[in-house]
Amino acid sequence: MASTTSSESDSQSFESQKPVVSLDTATVRFCGDSGDGMQLAGTQLSSTSALLGNDVATFPDFPAEIRAPRGTKAGVSGFQVHFASTPIFTPGDSVDALVAMNPAALTTNLVDLVPGGILIVNEDAFNEKDLKKAGYESNPLEDESLDGYKLIKVKMTKVTRTAVEDLGLSVKESDRCRNFFAMGLTFWLYGRTMDATLRYIDEKFGKRPAIADANRRALKAGYFYGETTEAILTHYEVPRAELEPGTYRSIMGNTAISWGFIAAAKLSGKELFLGSYPITPASDILHELSKHKNFGVRTFQAEDEIAAVCSAIGAAYGGAMAITTTSGPGIALKGEAMGLAVMTELPLIVINVQRGGPSTGLPTKTEQADLLQALFGRNGECPMPVIAASSPADCFDTAIEAWRVASKFMVPVVLLTDGYIANGSEPWKIPDFANLPSIKIKHPEQSTSNENEDEFLPYARDENLARPWAIPGTPGLMHRVGGLEKQDGTGNVSYDPANHQHMVDVRQKKVENIADDIPPQELKGPNEGKLLVLSWGGTFGSCRTAVNTMLAEGKAVSHAHLRYLNPFPKNLGEIISKFDQVLVPELNMGQLNMLIRARYLVETVAFNKVQGKPFSVYELVEKINSLL
């Protein structure tokens, strides 16, 4: 959904008679059973806020169980939306307004609601059976335990059924409209227009008029409930943010990375091939790319992870832009084939959307504990460049950059995101395609060997140590590739010890040379000082916000966020050397911290969290202050 920074419609459906309070920022969380449509409610609120010109960041949270028993804590699904009139980088530490559809949702999410925050609950769901499932001994709506919040009890089930009762729907169909009631009430509470959601209803349910009408009625019932109920005396507005002028849309990380790959294919004149096996949280990249056959995208859902990566290697050998997507468990299975791509020196992108581990671990929760796996999780000396995205919108740019590196240096590249980035969303300024960097790829058209021989040398190297990318079937370019060690130049199988040493050195040097082709590391804050916060991946938003908070207080703190993890930027060591202390926050047990200490021989402070949740800004500010 595209818009300029001036929204398509700033008008509300009517002029409210209740007082309006202006806020700089607001954070709202919808939570309920996984079938209650909380993800849709959050998505609509974030899209609407983006259309109104706010900066937006989101954090969806859903259970790993496909269908946990209704009303249980294991089945709670949530979606948090942070919208503001100033630039923001996180979905918010705490929640200003919590919408809880049942007791289980309340008990698992109440801890994040700020004291005095708005608490909207579906009163109809607080029956004896559901209270018992959630572990309540008494009804919290009646025992004064919620007196510290602005409690708004709404009989959502009853009101929604009344709004749609003449449409001939079943009770189940009627109850499925409750999320639109919750949306409408929240839209009124924060001055959001219903226009975009009404259009969504028409597009989504247009072929089922009764369902479309029911959702429209539920949305408007919730909206006007806010205006008429005496339980809510005021509502709020969050002015538009001063964003860089342009055309924006709200975008999720998996969507952005998919579009980045499509753009990279067009920039390099290549057909895009994806070989993938579905796995949470990477599956949506396969889903998204499969929609774009009109751009020459070919997707192959393989029978397993090994077949997926091998099909991508075959596509790369045939001259296509080849990618494969997975999460940590899939990387473990792809390891041998990734070594084959290193040995054959073919351009390939391996995307790892990291999740909690080990084994199946926490498949719907975020983590960044696959860094060492990306660097070293293959047999033998098997170097691969590693690049990491920092935010949902940044996925677009990192996808293009990963392909630029892979095709220029004839090397497979690991591209890391995580569940937080993949499923989160933020405003993305749609770029002008003409301004994107071109990616020039030239295939040899005839033998490039010396004048006295007609034999093509598949491992002849250019100034980047990249071998020629010869397309099979090109006259005079017959050559041999495979998993056995190759003789440099000819590509013949070689067991010569000196040749093996030479080829290992060359493959390593080729990756190291990428440091000469990437930008120097950027720094937010003073060039030297008491403390440097060094981060990577999905911790960007919380780290940047924490450092901005410290800088506003006059503290000598700076922030460097790494995109390139192998090789590191050439100036990283120099940056680190100018600070008294280096703090390395990671959603793992200290993997980047170990690499930095080993590479630069400096004392660092690890700050680690493995709870399936991102860092809060408060946690980081507290840690920074303790070091200062």
Side-chain angles (χ1 to χ4, degrees):
M1 184 180 299
S3 76
T4 62
T5 47
S6 61
S7 67
E8 291 183 11
S9 174
D10 284 324
S11 62
Q12 291 180 226
S13 298
F14 74 107
E15 188 68 29
S16 174
Q17 300 303 307
K18 292 187 177 181
V20 179
V21 177
S22 183
L23 302 173
D24 291 330
T25 179
T27 302
V28 178
R29 183 184 298 171
F30 297 93
C31 55
D33 268 319
S34 57
D36 282 341
M38 297 296 92
Q39 305 297 316
L40 176 59
T43 300
Q44 288 300 309
L45 177 58
S46 61
S47 297
T48 297
S49 298
L51 283 169
L52 289 173
N54 295 135
D55 199 2
V56 181
T58 70
F59 181 46
D61 186 23
F62 42 89
E65 289 78 6
I66 294 175
R67 181 66 73 184
R70 286 192 63 83
T72 63
K73 296 178 184 179
V76 174
S77 175
F79 198 107
Q80 183 166 312
V81 184
H82 183 194
F83 49 97
S85 60
T86 57
I88 55 175
F89 302 101
T90 76
D93 278 8
S94 53
V95 178
D96 300 309
L98 179 67
V99 181
M101 303 299 284
N102 61 23
L106 177 63
T107 189
T108 54
N109 287 273
L110 185 61
V111 66
D112 294 324
L113 183 62
V114 298
I118 298 169
L119 176 58
I120 302 171
V121 296
N122 177 17
E123 187 178 3
D124 290 330
F126 282 71
N127 53 59
E128 184 177 351
K129 180 181 178 181
D130 283 347
L131 286 167
K132 185 176 181 180
K133 286 182 183 179
Y136 282 110
E137 295 182 359
S138 62
N139 191 338
L141 305 186
E142 300 172 354
D143 63 10
E144 301 182 351
S145 63
L146 301 176
D147 285 355
Y149 306 101
K150 297 175 183 176
L151 177 61
I152 303 169
K153 297 183 287 186
V154 186
K155 294 183 179 296
M156 290 191 197
T157 303
K158 179 180 179 181
V159 175
T160 302
R161 288 178 182 176
T162 300
V164 304
E165 62 183 353
D166 61 337
L167 295 176
L169 303 180
S170 66
V171 172
K172 183 177 181 180
E173 289 173 325
S174 298
D175 288 351
R176 291 185 68 179
C177 300
R178 286 176 301 194
N179 62 328
F180 281 94
F181 180 94
M183 278 186 239
L185 178 54
T186 307
F187 284 5
W188 177 85
L189 186 63
Y190 287 100
R192 313 285 93 177
T193 173
M194 291 185 287
D195 296 348
T197 301
L198 289 171
R199 289 196 299 271
Y200 168 82
I201 291 171
D202 291 339
E203 294 169 2
K204 180 70 174 179
F205 305 104
K207 294 182 180 179
R208 303 176 67 188
I211 299 297
D213 197 13
N215 286 328
R216 278 192 293 268
R217 292 189 185 188
L219 179 72
K220 293 178 180 179
Y223 193 92
F224 289 107
Y225 183 93
E227 178 66 18
T228 58
T229 182
E230 296 181 359
I232 308 176
L233 300 179
T234 60
H235 62 143
Y236 308 92
E237 66 174 4
V238 179
R240 69 176 64 255
E242 294 297 326
L243 301 176
E244 182 183 351
T247 302
Y248 286 77
R249 61 154 288 150
S250 179
I251 198 165
M252 297 175 65
N254 277 342
T255 302
I257 206 168
S258 301
W259 292 6
F261 288 135
I262 294 172
K266 293 299 179 183
L267 290 167
S268 58
K270 286 292 172 186
E271 289 189 352
L272 174 58
F273 175 88
L274 167 65
S276 183
Y277 181 75
I279 182 172
T280 301
S283 299
D284 282 339
I285 302 175
L286 171 62
H287 300 160
E288 181 63 30
L289 285 175
S290 67
K291 301 175 184 177
H292 298 290
K293 296 180 178 63
N294 57 310
F295 289 122
V297 177
R298 300 184 183 184
T299 54
F300 169 54
Q301 181 175 320
E303 64 269 28
D304 56 43
E305 295 282 7
I306 299 172
V309 65
C310 287
S311 68
I313 292 173
Y317 180 68
M321 175 184 170
I323 65 176
T324 186
T325 56
T326 189
S327 189
I331 292 290
L333 293 169
K334 294 179 189 290
E336 183 180 0
M338 290 167 67
L340 175 62
V342 170
M343 182 66 83
T344 55
E345 300 187 38
L346 287 168
L348 171 72
I349 301 176
V350 181
I351 301 93
N352 179 357
V353 186
Q354 300 167 95
R355 70 190 204 189
S359 186
T360 307
L362 305 175
T364 62
K365 311 300 181 183
T366 196
E367 205 165 271
Q368 52 176 177
D370 295 348
L371 176 56
L372 296 183
Q373 182 189 38
L375 286 165
F376 309 119
R378 297 167 295 280
N379 64 295
E381 295 291 341
C382 194
M384 290 178 63
V386 179
I387 298 174
S390 62
S391 70
D394 186 53
C395 286
F396 180 86
D397 296 322
T398 50
I400 295 174
E401 176 64 0
W403 177 238
R404 186 193 70 82
V405 170
S407 58
K408 183 172 183 177
F409 290 86
M410 285 296 287
V411 64
V413 173
V414 176
L415 177 54
L416 297 175
T417 72
D418 57 50
Y420 172 60
I421 294 174
N423 294 313
S425 64
E426 64 181 350
W428 172 59
K429 183 183 177 183
I430 301 174
D432 184 343
F433 186 81
N435 294 332
L436 295 176
S438 62
I439 301 175
K440 297 181 180 179
I441 296 176
K442 182 174 177 59
H443 298 286
E445 298 178 357
Q446 58 186 2
S447 176
T448 58
S449 62
N450 62 58
E451 297 178 358
N452 298 323
E453 299 180 8
D454 293 329
E455 181 186 10
F456 171 64
L457 297 179
Y459 283 83
R461 302 186 182 278
D462 63 14
E463 66 278 7
N464 300 312
L465 299 182
R467 75 174 188 87
W469 190 5
I471 304 300
T474 305
L477 301 189
M478 288 191 300
H479 60 284
R480 176 185 299 167
V481 297
L484 290 171
E485 182 61 282
K486 299 292 174 285
Q487 183 183 60
D488 204 7
T490 67
N492 294 333
V493 174
S494 174
Y495 294 97
D496 178 67
N499 178 75
H500 180 54
Q501 177 76 61
H502 170 70
M503 292 297 280
V504 167
D505 291 342
V506 167
R507 289 188 288 263
Q508 179 63 40
K509 182 63 174 175
K510 180 163 63 168
V511 173
E512 292 173 356
N513 284 349
I514 295 171
D516 296 323
D517 196 62
I518 60 177
Q521 178 61 45
E522 295 182 350
L523 188 66
K524 169 71 173 181
N527 293 329
E528 57 185 27
K530 293 183 178 180
L531 180 66
L532 172 68
V533 178
L534 183 62
S535 60
W536 70 278
T539 60
F540 169 78
S542 52
C543 288
R544 179 54 56 90
T545 304
V547 169
N548 284 345
T549 301
M550 294 290 94
L551 289 172
E553 296 177 2
K555 304 289 180 65
V557 181
S558 297
H559 180 212
H561 188 83
L562 295 172
R563 168 181 281 185
Y564 303 94
L565 295 159
N566 190 35
F568 289 131
K570 295 184 71 173
N571 65 329
L572 181 59
E574 180 184 357
I575 289 175
I576 291 172
S577 68
K578 294 181 179 179
F579 290 86
D580 297 339
Q581 298 184 88
V582 179
L583 174 65
V584 187
E586 295 182 84
L587 300 179
N588 59 44
M589 295 300 288
Q591 297 184 16
L592 176 63
N593 182 68
M594 182 182 72
L595 295 169
I596 294 297
R597 290 170 65 96
R599 173 70 182 271
Y600 299 108
L601 303 178
V602 294
E603 290 293 329
T604 55
V605 179
F607 187 38
N608 307 116
K609 180 177 180 178
V610 280
Q611 300 175 15
K613 299 171 63 177
F615 283 111
S616 69
V617 175
Y618 173 79
E619 288 173 314
L620 290 164
V621 168
E622 189 176 52
K623 182 66 175 180
I624 291 170
N625 276 324
S626 72
L627 293 174
L628 294 175

